[in-house]
Amino acid sequence: MVPRQTLDSLVTSVASELMGVDATTMVAATQRVLAALVEHFDVDVSYLRHTDRERRATVLVAEWPPREDIPDPDPLAVVEFETADSVFRALEYATEPLVVRPDTDSADYQETIRKSSGIPEVAMACVPLVSRGESTGVLGFVKMGDRVWTSRELNVLKAIAALFAQLQARVVAEEKLRYIALHDDLTSLANRRALLEYMERRLEAGKPGPVATFFLDLDRLKALNDFLGHSAGDNFIQTLARRLETNLEPNDMIARLGGDEFVIVPAAPMDAVAAELEATRIQQFIGRRVSVGQESVSRGVSVGVALGIPGQTSVSDVLRRADHALLSAKSGGGNGVAVFTDAMRAQFELQDDVELNLRSAVSDGSLVLHYQPEVDLRTGRIVALEALVRWQHPTRGLLPPGAFVSVAEATNLAGELGRWVIRSACSQFAEWRQRGLASNVVMRINVSPVQLVSADFVERIEDVLHLFGIDGSSICLEITEHVVVQDLVRTRLTLRGLKRMGVQIAIDDFGTGYSSLSHLKALPVDAVKIDRGFVQSLGDSNDDLAIVKSIIGLAGSFGLGVVGEGVETAMAARTLVGLGCYRAQGFLIARPMPAADVEVQLREGRIPLDLDLPRAGRGVAPS
Ligand code: C2E
Ligand code: CA
Ligand code: CA
């Protein structure tokens, strides 16, 4: 409280009262100052108003004493200059104090006061807040009846008004900085920092929950930027931001994390069912078309949903889960909604674990190769072995390649893993051959796309073959169709290099990708392996029969070998033989097995099959 004092010390004490004030404390501090001024100048009311230039209005900041029974809406809270009384109107651009006395002028103002207070006559002093020569507000005093203001008093009030003007300018600047710090500049939505602050508050123990979190990602936004230009992409994002604002509740948190990523946290608590419904609603209104310049475009959106429990789930956990769910929504083809589940949790834990431990697994001997024989169906003779990697995981048991190969590819470990596989398979192969086993057998090794495009791939293969004394033609590398299509030029170069060493190439999982005939013709490929999806049901599916037939025909016309994968039934095996595909692999014949077990079969040289083949198919197989 500012004590009653001399005029000069009054200014000093107001200055110190206002010194440390910011946006949050401004109103309270202003009230304290106004109260002191009311007392000091012996007036009845004092107020501070700011000018909102954009709205052309004067806005009440604080007043003293507080009014009783303020109507709602408060007619004094925001007053537009256009419709204001003559005193306020005169103050819109005023920079010098305006004093109004009962006996002077301004009949309509007196009228307003009379109506609102019931008091017939007042005296007023209105001292403009001036910042850079411009009026930014007013410090006002009202005295019932009459009062004379000395010029010395008015000068002191000007000094105090200047202090308020400074404070206001500072608060506005601080607010602007705070706004910039918490908003995305393209869309004016909240940014990551604002989102995190907000979520921290929502997830405090004792707050209502569950707190639903939606992670949104536009499908193929990049294509939009690429084809329509970046400003079109920006426009598109801005339109979506407005659409989110209009279709969501005013208190919902809508943040843009950059690019095409948005996060929404609805203000209302929601369970999983409600959250999924809401996510679907959002997904639908986002998916509606937007006009960008001349074009009308739409983008699907994928939404990942996760729930946070206040006091239990951390902000980063909720966001990570929503992000995981988003990934799963996207891998389902995009334009979908996925809620984070326990199954996802298990899968992502596994993935994290793999990422963490795979590197050491490559070097510490916990990777193993199993081998699956491939036979000539007519004789049962083993013609090839496919090396299939497994990971003897310390706690999770023997992991199939599906659990870690893709993680290796995503984390730059594919090269290391691949080198280990090639080396180990060749080393084992050479050892068998030294003991007179596997001499007419081909070793098949799976190669991941990343390996194939690495610059020194061909030399590395050459080194390994040389090291173990294996001729190139005893090796067959299996590549998938996808890699072939993705980088035809590079692939062709690598494959040619391999061909020069006599290394064979097979296209794996044939029929699932997009290789056209022309691709096949352009590449030095020796064989195709018919994807097991087509082979498994041979015998009871006519569709698959037609596809398998055409693959075999195609291979024949290009002079390529053909292998049937995934032979699980005698029916499938017989059908393959009937179509002229004799080489096959599958659980019916043999499962992938450890080296020691496959060695037993190599000694036999063949795996007896009872297929009950028609005579013609049983002839002596060419070796
Ligand atoms: P792939 O190259 O198509 O390998 C054949 C997969 O089919 C093997 O699964 C094998 O166990 C399975 N399989 C064989 N016969 C049958 C059958 O009759 N029925 C059924 N349902 N499945 C059969 P696996 O060992 O789990 O390998 C999966 C995939 O992992 C492989 O598919 C291959 O793409 C990849 N992979 C395996 N080893 C390696 C490797 O060393 N490097 C790379 N890059 N990928 C590998
Ligand atoms: Ca394979
Ligand atoms: Ca395959």
Side-chain angles (χ1 to χ4, degrees), residues 288-497:
R288 290 201 307 268
R289 306 192 75 76
V290 171
S291 16
V292 178
Q294 311 285 54
E295 318 277 339
S296 154
V297 289
S298 69
R299 257 341 51 161
V301 62
S302 302
V303 187
V305 182
L307 300 183
I309 308 298
Q312 287 178 30
T313 331
S314 72
V315 172
S316 60
D317 277 352
V318 180
L319 284 174
R320 218 182 25 231
R321 286 174 199 172
D323 191 23
H324 281 333
L326 174 68
L327 276 180
S328 139
K330 289 182 101 170
S331 66
N335 204 22
V337 170
V339 182
F340 188 79
T341 59
D342 286 344
M344 261 182 230
R345 184 197 314 275
Q347 196 202 327
F348 288 116
E349 271 170 18
L350 172 67
Q351 223 171 70
D352 286 352
D353 177 325
V354 167
E355 258 183 72
L356 216 65
N357 296 311
L358 186 59
R359 187 180 300 276
S360 56
V362 175
S363 52
D364 74 6
S366 47
L367 292 181
V368 282
L369 287 180
H370 282 190
Y371 299 90
Q372 187 179 28
E374 171 191 318
V375 300
D376 185 315
L377 286 173
R378 294 166 300 183
T379 61
R381 190 175 76 78
I382 298 174
V383 292
L385 293 175
E386 177 169 8
L388 294 162
V389 68
R390 273 102 183 85
W391 176 9
Q392 188 62 58
H393 189 280
T395 55
R396 295 174 185 273
L398 192 66
L399 292 180
F404 60 92
V405 170
S406 60
V407 180
E409 284 170 352
T411 54
N412 277 329
L413 279 170
E416 251 173 277
L417 174 69
R419 285 193 286 280
W420 181 89
V421 169
I422 290 170
R423 228 188 130 83
S424 311
C426 288
S427 152
Q428 178 66 69
F429 192 36
E431 197 213 296
W432 277 328
R433 284 204 161 171
Q434 268 163 20
R435 292 192 278 133
L437 298 165
S439 39
N440 288 321
V441 167
V442 167
M443 178 62 83
R444 299 181 162 277
I445 299 171
N446 293 286
V447 170
S448 88
V450 195
Q451 288 175 273
L452 208 64
V453 294
S454 84
D456 56 354
F457 184 68
V458 175
E459 288 86 70
R460 278 177 189 278
I461 294 283
E462 193 165 21
D463 290 348
V464 173
L465 292 180
H466 188 75
L467 179 69
F468 294 108
I470 298 170
D471 56 306
S473 61
S474 298
I475 296 289
C476 179
L477 299 183
E478 302 194 353
I479 62 179
T480 66
E481 273 185 87
H482 308 278
V483 71
V484 176
V485 182
Q486 261 167 33
D487 194 347
L488 202 60
V489 178
R490 174 102 237 164
T491 308
R492 193 181 326 174
L493 269 177
T494 307
L495 297 190
R496 289 224 177 106

Side-chain angles (χ1 to χ4, degrees), residues 508-509 531-532 565:
D508 208 349
D509 305 340
D531 188 70
R532 64 171 180 269
E565 281 192 310

Side-chain angles (χ1 to χ4, degrees), residues 243-258:
R243 200 179 271 182
L244 284 169
E245 283 173 336
T246 28
N247 287 279
L248 292 166
E249 295 300 316
N251 287 335
D252 291 352
M253 164 53 85
I254 313 170
R256 174 172 178 251
L257 303 191

Side-chain angles (χ1 to χ4, degrees), residues 255-287:
R256 174 172 178 251
L257 303 191
D260 52 359
E261 288 184 351
F262 296 85
V263 172
I264 293 162
V265 183
M270 269 181 209
D271 62 14
V273 175
E276 189 168 3
L277 276 176
E278 175 67 355
T280 308
R281 188 181 74 88
I282 293 173
Q283 196 230 1
Q284 279 162 0
F285 70 66
I286 286 291

